[in-house]
Amino acid sequence: MADPLLAEFSELSHLSREDLEELLVDPVYFQAIFHSLNRVKALYQAQAELGSANETIAKNNLALQDALYTLRNDTQQAFDEAKSLEARWKEVEKEQKEVYQRFTPQFLLMRLRHATVAQDDISEARASEFVQASSAEPSPVAANSKDIDDFVREFKELRKVYHKRMMWGDRWAAGQVVWRDD
């Protein structure tokens, strides 16, 4: 058993049996011998080199710390701005959708139909006004021919707009209106 130990730790081969036994019972003697072993010296040397390397790395990291904090702050600001722009993008996209909604074929057809009904109401209201005004006068003959001409011209324009809108609506219903997306 002593042979493998001495083969493994050849530095101890010069010690006598009494020295080896003393080594086991005296911790100070053990420490002195232990620290004189080449393997232990090499281990401590490697540990010291690693510690020095770690210290160098730590100094480099500390030297980069301010730049990294600045970069982190810049990155955070860029990220916050990107999030803000993303939220704004959604708002603008919603606004755009609402604006485009007013120009969809379905919406335009609905507006045309409402405008047609409104135009019919306007022309009929104007005709009713004229009839009431004519019947309120003492003598229908007394109605000025200029007033009649003005009414006919105005009523004709109102009905012309109404009929144009009706024709456009009919064409649309017949599939003759094509909307391009360009």
Side-chain angles (χ1 to χ4, degrees):
M1 182 121 183
D3 290 336
L5 179 65
L6 292 178
E8 183 77 25
F9 296 100
S10 59
E11 297 95 344
L12 301 178
S13 63
H14 69 281
L15 296 176
S16 66
R17 181 174 181 90
E18 292 80 28
D19 287 337
L20 289 174
E21 288 174 357
E22 181 68 23
L23 186 68
L24 292 174
V25 290
D26 186 359
V28 174
Y29 184 50
F30 175 81
Q31 289 293 325
I33 296 293
F34 178 77
H35 289 290
S36 69
L37 295 174
N38 288 335
R39 285 185 186 175
V40 173
K41 288 179 186 177
L43 183 67
Y44 280 134
Q45 179 63 32
Q47 185 180 16
E49 288 172 3
L50 285 175
S52 177
N54 281 345
E55 188 175 325
T56 302
I57 291 170
K59 286 179 182 177
N60 287 339
N61 286 346
L62 286 174
L64 295 173
Q65 183 176 13
D66 290 338
L68 289 174
Y69 283 147
T70 302
L71 184 59
R72 184 186 339 173
N73 288 338
D74 292 347
T75 303
Q76 185 64 48
Q77 288 173 355
F79 179 78
D80 293 343
E81 183 179 354
K83 283 295 188 183
S84 172
L85 289 174
E86 183 180 29
R88 177 71 181 126
W89 174 268
K90 289 179 182 178
E91 291 171 13
V92 168
E93 198 170 44
K94 181 181 175 187
E95 290 171 12
Q96 181 184 20
K97 185 177 180 183
E98 290 172 2
V99 167
Y100 284 166
Q101 184 69 28
R102 294 189 312 222
F103 298 102
T104 63
Q106 297 83 9
F107 187 79
L108 292 174
L109 177 59
M110 181 188 72
R111 284 184 56 198
L112 176 62
R113 287 181 179 159
H114 287 300
T116 303
V117 170
Q119 189 68 27
D120 187 42
D121 292 345
I122 290 169
S123 65
E124 291 302 318
R126 181 63 184 112
S128 295
E129 286 173 16
F130 181 75
V131 169
Q132 287 176 357
S134 296
S135 63
E137 292 184 15
S139 163
V141 178
N144 185 337
S145 71
K146 182 178 182 327
D147 290 341
I148 293 172
D149 289 342
D150 288 345
F151 166 73
V152 169
R153 192 176 318 107
E154 182 183 353
F155 186 74
K156 185 177 174 183
E157 277 302 311
L158 290 171
R159 292 310 286 179
K160 184 168 81 172
V161 170
Y162 167 76
H163 287 291
K164 280 184 178 180
R165 290 179 180 170
M166 282 299 292
M167 286 177 10
W168 292 334
D170 291 344
R171 285 183 183 169
W172 200 324
Q176 296 173 343
V177 176
V178 177
W179 291 95
R180 299 185 320 208
D181 288 334
D182 55 357

